[in-house]
Structures are given as structure tokens and as C-alpha cells.
Amino acid sequence: MHQPLEPPGQQPLGYGKCSPVGSDAGKAAGCSAGSEASGGIGKGPVICSAICGNPYAGLVSHLRAAWLSGKTRPMEYRMAQLEALGRFLDEKKQDILDATALDMGKPSFEAYFTEILLCKNNLNDTLNNLSHWMKDEYVDKNLVTQLDSAFIRKDPYGVVLIIGPWNYPIHLLLVPLIGAIAAGNCVVVKPSETSKNTERLVAEMLTCYLDNDCFAVVTAGVQETTRLLENKFDYIFFTGSPSVGRIVMTAAAKHLTPITLELGGKNPCYVSDTCDVQNVARRVAWGRFFNAGQTCIAPDYVLCSLEMQEKLMPALREAITEFFGPNPQESPDFGRIVGDKQFRRIRALLCSGRVAIGGQTDEKERYIAPTVLVDVQHSDPIMQEEIFGPILPIVVVASVDEAIDFINSLERPLAVYAFSSDDKVVKQVLERTSSGGFCGNDTLMHVTLTSLPFGGIGSSGLGMYHGKFTFETFSHHRGCLHRSMGREAINSLRYPPYSRQKLGIVRAASEVKRKGACILL
């Protein structure tokens, strides 16, 4: 997922319009220079000036003090903040649709579905189940501890940082935030500076709904984000490109901070010779060209036989025309590339293979037509990086075995797709490949289920979230044993002086035996 941390073209945004500015944060960090606080913070506490060494030290200190006070721990508080987040999505729905349209020409249908509906699904799932998720989880005990209490407590980490990307600037920021709030953390959220209209909306409006003692929005480019990452956080959640993910992970390592990385990769899509070609074409075209291809789980390339390619080409052409009309540039349902640099990078990839469908570009509008490439070779530029745009290359393979070998020769992707009327073929691709997620006979749809974990593996990411998994990600699973002060006669068996008799009793009382084990003589 491409989210370069580049220097912003303008100064970072200042305080949110509804922000009452105070100096408590500066005092919390032992700094008296609150009046010199730099910009870049949405509504929330003032940050320290450079006198403290780091411009965000006061902000982090203020949030940590709020977390240590225990304010975020009660379920009622968490529920209230989540309900407020729901009001933000409801009341600012049109603002979200407008901002994403300005940033990347996102069709209102796509924006509502991804930025609002899927967020609300995660939010309502959390509200419906939070009381259950928060309960201590009691575990099995051995004979020695039968009269004691052994359980897993879901503790909040503390002060966490969430860095969001530009391609789904609300969804990929708020879904992690939902879990972080639900788990009882204080949170700094950093929206992407690339989607500047949505960044401004989040900075000015989101913090009007949340408790500013516990939640803050930081608007920052690469330089400010680098300084932000110098602070000690208790957990970091980053969505973006693998290259920037390495930078974030390096910064986290300095404080031994646990981290989730949601990255991307080249998601393969195998199409077997036995399938409904028209249905495949629609589902692949929808997944590839949704959000103008700027989706980290979009099918990045198709693997199929030469025979299937010949069948698939007219079906793809028909699907593109059905979706976007004879001239997709005039369609209200097809988006634009987010920025000039991203446009030029994607346009350069059109030199790979041969353009069979589309290929038209308009730099002024940052428009790249829905495009299909054929005669693509493994060594072509388009196969060396995640496309992240509306281009679909087709690579010819002779068999499912060759397709699987091709997939396994590359880094493990965020998603693998397989189409076939034969379930055995789909199962074969599932069992012999490795990826963050898998979807058979469709694209993208697996991420719409809050019951499934979403995350990468290897270079496509680290960790998982969605629904309960987001709550689990932002919770420290604390193993707890609560014993009685009495029954010391039982405990004395483990104290010196040791004896063979004591060891035999302790072993019998605490040993875990394999069920149904037998010895073959």
C-alpha cells in the first residue's frame, strides 16, 4: 500500500476550529513554553515547544497522565466514546463524501460503502460485544491450583499511535481507532497528509466528538512524523507501504514498542480454465478498478492459460463498458489518482507488455483509464512493484501448478484470489500458497466480514484487526493467577529442602499429560 511520508507542500494544519487551547500538556511535561507550541495538532492538548527536545513530548505526556488516571478503563467511558465516534460518522457523512471526492474523485457509492458503512459495521459489532470481550477469560488449571483463580485480563496498552494512509483515509484510520478506544487506550491519530481535504476534516471535526484529554489528532508530513515517532508509545499501528513500514518499525524498536503493520503487495488472481468467464470478469474488474485501483487488496495481476486469456479479454472489455460506459473518463463512478507523483509512477508502468484494453491517460485530471495489459513478462516493471492503480496485467501460465509456483516465487501478498468452478482447484491454491487473506471466486469481499481477521504476512504486514481482532490487537493479554493466603501445607511441597518424594508429588499434581497417548513396543 503506497503511503510515502513526504515533506508536505504547505505548513501542517493548525489547531482545530473548535479547540480551546490550554497549557496543561506543557506543564505535564515540565515545560513552561506552551505558548510557543507548534502547529499540527487538531483539537486537543497543547504540545511542548522545542525547549523540551521534542515538539510532541508534551502531548504524549498529557495523554499518558490521562491514561494513568484510569479514566479510559471503565466500560461506560469506552462505550460513550465509541457512540460519539458513531455520531461523527452520521453527522459528518456528507463532509466525508465531499472530502474524499475532492481528494481522489472517489464516487459517493464507493466512499459511503468503504468509509462509512464498513466503519459503522466495525463500530456496531464492537458496541454489541464489548462487555463480553472485556470479561476476564478463565483458563484450565492443574491439580495444585484447582482452588485458585487463573484468568487472562485484557488490559489496555496505554498511549497508542495510529498512522493512517490516504487511499481509504477514514476507514483505515477509524477502524483501528475503534479497537484502540474499545480496549481502553489513549490515542494519537495521524491522518495522511496526501489526502489533504480528508486530513483537514479529521483534524477539525473528529476531536470535537472525542474526549480531548485522551484522544488527539496530529497533522504532519515526513519531518513532523519522524519527530512524533521519537516519542515512546505503548503500541503503534501503521498502514502504508513496506518501505515506510520499515522506518516505523525501526523507530518502534528503539523503545521496544509492539507494532501492527498493514502493508500491501502484489496480490495474485488465478483463473482456471473451468469457470463462468463473465462472472469472473465482473468480479475481477470490480476489485481491480474499485477506487481507481488504489486498494491494497486489489487483484494485482491475473494468472491464467492462453486459452482462458482469449476468453477473458472480451468479457473484461464488456464488464468495463458495463461499469463505466464507453468513455470511463466521463463516468461518475470511476475515481482519479490521488496525486501527481502517484499518477506519473502508475503511467510509467503502461510500458510493460501490450495494452489490450484502455491505456488512455490525462495528467491534468490525474486520470488513467481502466487498463488491461497482455504479453506481460515476469521481468517487466509492472511485475516489480505493487501497481496501486487501474491497470490489470495478465500473465500466461500453463497450469495451476505453474501458477502456484509463480505466486510462491514472489513475496507473500496481502491477498490471494482463485477462480474455478472446481472447488478442488480453489482448495489447491489455498493450501499451497501463503498470504494475509484468501478469497475464492470473488475479490475484496473477505474484508467486509468483521468476523474474519485482516492482516498481512511477511512483507505484506504484521498483525491483524477487524471486529474483535482489533480489540485484541490493542489489548495486552495479561496472565493472572490469584491464590489463597492459606493452604501453606500444599505449598510447602515446593520449598527446600527438596526430596525425591516431594518431586514425585509435585510432578503428579502439576504435570500435563498427553491425551490418548500410548507406547508401541
Side-chain angles (χ1 to χ4, degrees), residues 270 303 396-408 432:
Y270 173 68
L303 294 166
V396 172
V397 291
S399 65
V400 63
D401 290 325
E402 185 178 334
I404 290 170
D405 289 342
F406 188 97
I407 293 168
N408 290 335
R432 292 177 55 193

Side-chain angles (χ1 to χ4, degrees), residues 134-273:
M134 286 180 62
K135 288 180 180 178
D136 291 339
E137 182 181 337
Y138 289 88
V139 299
D140 294 337
K141 296 173 286 187
N142 56 28
L143 186 60
V144 174
T145 57
Q146 279 302 306
L147 300 177
D148 304 320
S149 179
F151 57 94
I152 300 170
R153 170 68 53 86
K154 281 66 174 289
D155 272 352
Y157 273 103
V159 180
V160 306
L161 171 64
I162 298 173
I163 302 177
W166 52 259
N167 59 329
Y168 294 96
I170 297 294
H171 176 99
L172 295 177
L173 194 70
L174 293 199
V175 173
L177 178 59
I178 289 166
I181 293 173
N185 299 282
C186 289
V187 188
V188 175
V189 293
K190 208 292 289 185
S192 172
E193 71 278 13
T194 301
S195 48
K196 59 181 181 296
N197 292 287
T198 313
E199 179 195 43
R200 182 178 295 109
L201 171 64
V202 171
E204 295 181 353
M205 294 291 109
L206 179 61
T207 48
C208 293
Y209 289 82
L210 299 177
D211 181 353
N212 299 158
D213 283 333
C214 301
F215 308 102
V217 177
V218 170
T219 58
V222 61
Q223 295 167 344
E224 296 85 2
T225 303
T226 301
R227 299 305 309 276
L228 178 65
L229 285 166
E230 292 173 1
N231 293 276
K232 175 176 172 54
F233 290 95
D234 301 300
Y235 201 96
I236 297 176
F237 191 106
F238 169 80
T239 304
S241 67
S243 59
V244 180
R246 292 184 180 92
I247 296 171
V248 174
M249 197 170 188
T250 299
K254 293 179 181 179
H255 298 289
L256 298 179
T257 300
I259 188 168
T260 289
L261 298 176
E262 294 298 338
L263 308 176
K266 297 193 71 62
N267 307 311
C269 178
Y270 173 68
V271 180
S272 80
D273 288 337

Side-chain angles (χ1 to χ4, degrees), residues 105-127:
K106 187 171 291 195
S108 59
F109 180 97
E110 294 183 3
Y112 180 82
F113 178 59
T114 57
E115 311 286 15
I116 297 173
L117 179 60
L118 293 184
C119 277
K120 288 296 291 290
N121 287 350
N122 276 271
L123 179 63
N124 290 337
D125 184 45
T126 302
L127 288 168

